[in-house]
Amino acid sequence: MAEERHEDFPAPGSFVIIVIFFITFVLYYFLNWKWLSMIWNIG
Amino acid sequence: MAANALEFRTCPITGKKVYATTQNLIWINAVTSVVFLLVGGLAALLVLLTRWPAVHLLSADLFYRILTLHPIAALVAWIIFFEVAGLYFGCSVLLNSRIAAPKVAWLAYFLMLIGAAIVAVQILIGNADVMFTSYIPLQASPLYYLGVILFAVGALTACGIFFGTLAIAKAEKTYEGSLPLVTFGLSAAAIIAVFTLASGAIIYIPTFLWSIGIIKNIDPAMYRLIFWAFGHSSQQINVTAMVSVWYLLAVLTVGAKPVNEKICRSAFVLYILFINMASEHHLLTDPTLSPAHKIANTSYFIYMAALASMIHALAIPMTVEVAQRKKGYTKGAFEWLTKAPWGEPGFPALILSLLIFGFIGGITGIVNGTEQLSIKSHNTWAMTGHFHGTVVGGTTLAFMGLTYYVIPLIFRRELIGKKLATLQPYIYGIGLIIFTLSMIASGTLGVPRRHWDITFADSIIPFSFDPTAILFVTLTALGGLLAIIGGAIFVGVAVLSVFFGRKMAPSEAKLL
Amino acid sequence: MAITSPETYWWKPADKEERLWITIAIVWCLILFTMMPLWHIVGGQNPSLEPLKIRPTDYQKVSDAFIEKYKIGEEAGIPVVKPPDGADVYLRGQMWNWIPILELKKGVNYKFHISSVDLMHGFSLMPLVMNFQIVPGQDNILNLTPTSSGTFHIICNEFCGINHHTMVGKIIVKD
């Protein structure tokens, strides 16, 4: 079973890297919405 | 120069046919690109030393002038000459084919060279203090616009040579099956280039006519819209070419093979289909377009291209990891990475280029390109930090890494300064990480782009930035200096090796 | 390898790893898209909704009339203007000033018009870091409500000639 999963994921290290990238992306993105909400109301 | 069109040698490492005409064309375009990198790098140094408040080197008029020169040399000339060399590599060397119409390829080169030279001279003599974007109503001399048009025609011709060579290779059956992935990626870049240069013609030709008085008025808002149709698409050429180079570096450094060709090729097709329409993110805070228009353009189109980038972002590390695991580096999650060839210049260049482009350039690109979020970053240094992340940390660093292989493989010269060559991507990459992150932080605190004096010494209404902002500006300057040292090392090693490197024997199968 | 032709049949299904990541990426792109129309509905900061063309000479006239009507003083040679609540406010960018200096009230909604009478300018309000492109021939109309009081400065962040870096304006917001 573990081996099957291993084949499904031929590059597990790369997946870890891309998940770190994704988390950074999501955090930075929503942080910027927070900063935007702190300026005057426009629109 | 006057080589027999059918004279070729066989590469001792890949077995590919390298025609003498192709080799010469790659040589001249690559060498010229590095010359312009040097010019662009010197301009970068002068701009940096002026924006660093503690130094404030140039006067205001010289600053704005050199700031116009810097992107012409670094963003346009260095990158496009290098890409043309890459195109010839992809269509001729990788397909074992002779190049189509070598004389026309040389004509394309001279058009690009003369165009770039005219533009550079016009800028330096003060006839084009308009920034790279030359936003109307600012007006440069007619020769400036003409120089740009000449350069673009030359580049378009080179794309034509590329497609012509693909046709010849197919007709003469110089390869079997589908195009190799690198050639496929470069084809995507060339297709985007055709659309880009067409948009460029649509904006630069009328602007040229306006500069000589034939057209009376050009709407500034319309100029900006069409300029960016040309301007952003041209960056996508760079992304597509860079991604192709990443796959090539993965082969050259660890012998990697794409894990799934369908996925990689589909991602390149996404680039072609969607990037040409996705330029309105430059106009998000303009009053020109409705929000519905902006959102559709900015999301539907650019997110398809962003999706393609995210696909490559996983695919490329996967090719490296799979190749390394096959070699036996299977301990834990990361032995494949720790035991990778970090002591060769190509591998750190690949990894740093991927990381800087992805984490810094890519993430800030999406954030800045969000309709409402752009209110915070438009025309600040956050914007400048973003595109230095993509095109300097991403594209330029990848091209530099590739050059260390082009020199022995194509030019058949041994590298002079191998230790320096190995250090160079680290120096350049780390310098750029400090530079771009500090620049983005400065811009987040409000530091403007294209600005001679952020201490506002000459304003009639006094204003000054928080000392934290000035601190980040200083850090930007320091990171930039480190990067410039890395750039200088690259130019030094490249020029020395190309001209004075030991000539390798035809059967010498050594890379580095 | 990426430099050789792929094996003949390369249209193969992707492995689980790539499929999972592509799914995550697609969902993320949909979220990125949704945030923009969503913020128009629930968020407080959105760029101009009404593209409006106006000739620079006409904008100059409207801007001068606004200054004359509500002028309360002068600072450094620039008129200081205090518009009434809810008024149309006309801010003008020109080489190399933002005119007039404005005195506004916190919590009050103003219909802000910003345009240029010569080149492109970059409206950049400090220390909030709020930025808009100011285009000659176009009126950047913003429904603005200052949510904080104090003294704010407008710098210019679009190159507009040799004194671009001296261009500073001011907005004072009273409680």
Side-chain angles (χ1 to χ4, degrees):
Chain A
M1 275 298 265
E3 266 182 40
E4 261 174 45
R5 259 185 278 129
H6 190 265
E7 265 159 34
D8 289 337
F9 271 61
S14 299
F15 198 76
V16 171
I17 297 174
I18 206 74
V19 167
I20 295 173
F21 165 75
F22 182 64
I23 292 171
T24 311
F25 201 160
V26 173
L27 288 175
Y28 186 71
Y29 180 73
F30 286 111
L31 182 60
N32 273 270
W33 281 107
K34 173 92 183 71
W35 286 336
L36 177 70
S37 71
M38 288 162 29
I39 65 172
W40 292 355
N41 284 343
I42 317 153
Chain B
M1 243 213 262
N4 179 350
L6 297 176
E7 185 191 319
F8 69 89
R9 61 176 175 82
T10 305
C11 173
I13 298 176
T14 63
K16 303 273 186 192
K17 280 189 178 141
V18 183
Y19 283 80
T21 44
T22 305
Q23 181 164 325
N24 292 338
L25 282 165
I26 293 178
W27 193 96
I28 194 68
N29 281 285
V31 166
T32 308
S33 77
V34 173
V35 170
F36 279 105
L37 179 67
L38 181 61
V39 173
L42 284 169
L45 180 61
L46 292 171
V47 167
L48 180 157
L49 291 174
T50 307
R51 290 226 49 172
W52 186 0
V55 180
H56 210 43
L57 183 66
L58 298 176
S59 61
D61 53 347
L62 276 182
F63 168 75
Y64 291 123
R65 195 154 301 159
I66 300 296
L67 187 57
T68 304
L69 180 65
H70 167 65
I72 293 289
L75 178 64
V76 179
W78 141 249
I79 290 200
I80 297 182
F81 271 110
F82 193 95
E83 284 167 348
V84 167
L87 283 183
Y88 295 153
F89 172 80
C91 66
S92 173
V93 174
L94 288 188
L95 301 182
N96 293 310
S97 168
R98 64 184 175 85
I99 205 159
K103 289 205 181 87
V104 178
W106 276 98
L107 172 66
Y109 169 75
F110 281 111
L111 282 174
M112 284 172 66
L113 182 66
I114 292 166
I118 291 175
V119 170
V121 166
Q122 287 299 301
I123 294 171
L124 287 169
I125 64 177
N127 282 355
D129 290 340
V130 293
M131 301 296 113
F132 164 65
T133 45
S134 48
Y135 287 140
I136 289 179
L138 285 169
Q139 190 179 75
S141 65
L143 266 180
Y144 172 85
Y145 301 112
L146 205 59
V148 174
I149 292 168
L150 272 178
F151 184 89
V153 171
L156 197 56
T157 308
C159 292
I161 302 287
F162 175 81
F163 292 120
T165 308
L166 290 187
I168 288 179
K170 188 96 202 177
E172 292 179 4
K173 294 198 172 43
T174 61
Y175 69 101
E176 263 173 35
S178 303
L179 291 173
L181 183 63
V182 171
T183 309
F184 188 87
L186 290 172
S187 307
I191 292 171
I192 298 172
V194 171
F195 285 126
T196 298
L197 293 166
S199 310
I202 295 175
I203 193 57
Y204 274 102
I205 294 175
T207 306
F208 166 72
L209 294 174
W210 169 70
S211 74
I212 57 176
I214 290 181
I215 293 185
K216 291 295 167 217
N217 276 305
I218 298 184
D219 178 21
M222 188 53 53
Y223 174 92
R224 241 170 92 78
L225 182 62
I226 302 176
F227 178 86
W228 283 113
F230 153 73
H232 185 83
S233 309
S234 64
Q235 302 324 304
Q236 202 60 26
I237 305 171
N238 299 336
V239 173
T240 312
M242 172 190 69
V243 174
S244 308
V245 168
W246 283 344
Y247 285 108
L248 181 53
L249 279 173
V251 171
L252 293 171
T253 54
V254 298
K257 188 170 127 74
V259 175
N260 188 304
E261 293 263 357
K262 169 180 81 172
I263 300 278
C264 302
R265 288 166 196 255
S266 303
F268 278 120
V269 172
L270 281 178
Y271 278 158
I272 300 173
L273 292 178
F274 291 102
I275 206 50
N276 293 299
M277 301 183 276
S279 310
E280 286 176 28
H281 59 271
H282 290 265
L283 288 94
L284 292 174
T285 68
D286 285 45
T288 314
L289 300 155
S290 72
H293 210 278
K294 288 174 187 172
I295 291 174
N297 185 283
T298 292
S299 56
Y300 178 57
F301 300 125
I302 201 142
Y303 294 162
M304 288 292 105
L307 177 65
S309 289
M310 285 193 274
I311 292 173
H312 289 305
L314 178 61
I316 289 155
M318 279 181 79
T319 66
V320 172
E321 184 171 357
V322 167
Q324 287 286 90
R325 283 181 181 275
K326 257 206 191 89
K327 288 184 199 159
Y329 300 117
T330 53
K331 205 170 80 171
F334 291 109
E335 196 194 23
W336 62 276
L337 189 57
T338 53
K339 292 271 166 59
W342 293 101
E344 272 180 40
F347 193 76
L350 169 63
I351 299 301
L352 284 168
S353 168
L354 256 173
L355 290 176
I356 298 174
F357 181 82
F359 278 84
I360 302 179
I363 292 177
T364 56
I366 295 294
V367 167
N368 294 348
T370 302
E371 188 201 359
Q372 296 93 342
L373 295 179
S374 74
I375 293 173
K376 293 289 294 173
S377 51
H378 180 64
N379 277 353
T380 67
W381 250 13
M383 213 53 87
T384 321
H386 151 72
F387 63 73
H388 281 78
T390 51
V391 89
V392 188
T395 308
T396 296
L397 182 50
F399 286 2
M400 286 174 168
L402 181 62
T403 305
Y404 295 121
Y405 296 88
V406 170
I407 292 174
L409 273 176
I410 303 291
F411 305 156
R412 301 306 287 156
R413 296 270 190 167
E414 193 176 24
L415 277 187
I416 293 180
K418 282 187 207 163
K419 280 214 182 72
L420 273 177
T422 305
L423 274 175
Q424 187 265 329
Y426 293 102
I427 297 173
Y428 198 63
I430 290 168
L432 284 174
I433 290 172
I434 299 170
F435 174 75
T436 51
L437 289 179
S438 305
M439 199 175 229
I440 291 165
S442 307
T444 305
L445 295 172
V447 173
R449 61 182 301 198
R450 295 174 164 176
H451 202 274
W452 180 66
D453 178 17
I454 55 164
T455 67
F456 295 92
D458 300 323
S459 312
I460 51 170
I461 294 177
F463 170 72
S464 54
F465 273 109
D466 202 81
T468 320
I470 307 290
L471 171 67
F472 277 115
V473 171
T474 305
L475 282 172
T476 308
L478 295 174
L481 280 176
L482 188 59
I484 287 173
I485 290 171
I489 295 174
F490 169 76
V491 172
V493 168
V495 170
L496 277 177
S497 307
V498 165
F499 289 101
F500 304 112
R502 178 186 68 83
K503 286 195 185 155
M504 295 167 84
S507 55
E508 218 177 318
K510 187 166 75 147
L511 260 184
L512 283 167
Chain C
M1 297 220 252
I3 55 173
T4 50
S5 293
E7 58 202 44
T8 321
Y9 179 62
W10 52 261
W11 192 265
K12 284 209 211 110
D15 50 71
K16 220 174 184 185
E17 182 172 351
E18 288 194 277
R19 281 209 311 274
L20 177 58
W21 170 242
I22 292 173
T23 308
I24 294 173
I26 290 177
V27 169
W28 179 235
C29 286
L30 288 170
I31 294 174
L32 293 175
F33 161 68
T34 308
M35 282 302 296
M36 287 188 282
L38 187 64
W39 200 258
H40 273 281
I41 303 168
V42 309
Q45 292 79 14
N46 291 284
S48 170
L49 297 171
E50 354 170 4
L52 182 70
K53 283 181 131 130
I54 182 162
R55 273 198 291 263
T57 41
D58 292 338
Y59 194 79
Q60 175 96 32
K61 287 197 194 103
V62 166
S63 158
D64 282 336
F66 166 73
I67 294 169
E68 201 179 303
K69 197 165 178 189
Y70 301 116
K71 183 170 170 176
I72 59 165
E74 235 182 54
E75 187 183 316
I78 298 173
V80 181
V81 167
K82 183 175 165 179
D85 294 4
D88 279 65
V89 173
Y90 291 88
L91 182 66
R92 174 167 101 215
Q94 61 183 44
M95 298 194 289
W96 291 283
N97 278 307
W98 294 102
I99 292 181
I101 294 174
L102 290 164
E103 199 180 290
L104 306 176
K105 273 208 279 205
K106 178 173 154 186
V108 171
N109 180 264
Y110 299 92
K111 192 163 184 187
F112 245 69
H113 300 252
I114 319 178
S115 186
S116 161
V117 296
D118 41 43
L119 303 176
M120 292 276 180
H121 292 286
F123 173 93
S124 185
L125 190 68
M126 296 294 143
L128 296 171
V129 190
M130 206 169 95
N131 305 283
F132 292 97
Q133 187 80 8
I134 307 307
V135 183
Q138 302 253 325
D139 186 349
N140 205 329
I141 302 177
L142 305 166
N143 272 313
L144 211 57
T145 305
T147 51
S148 50
S149 55
T151 304
F152 301 83
H153 291 90
I154 310 167
I155 63 176
C156 180
N157 57 15
E158 183 60 81
F159 177 68
C160 55
I162 193 61
N163 284 322
H164 156 61
H165 45 273
T166 67
M167 198 163 153
V168 178
K170 202 151 109 170
I171 299 181
I172 304 150
V173 179
K174 302 231 154 133
D175 280 308

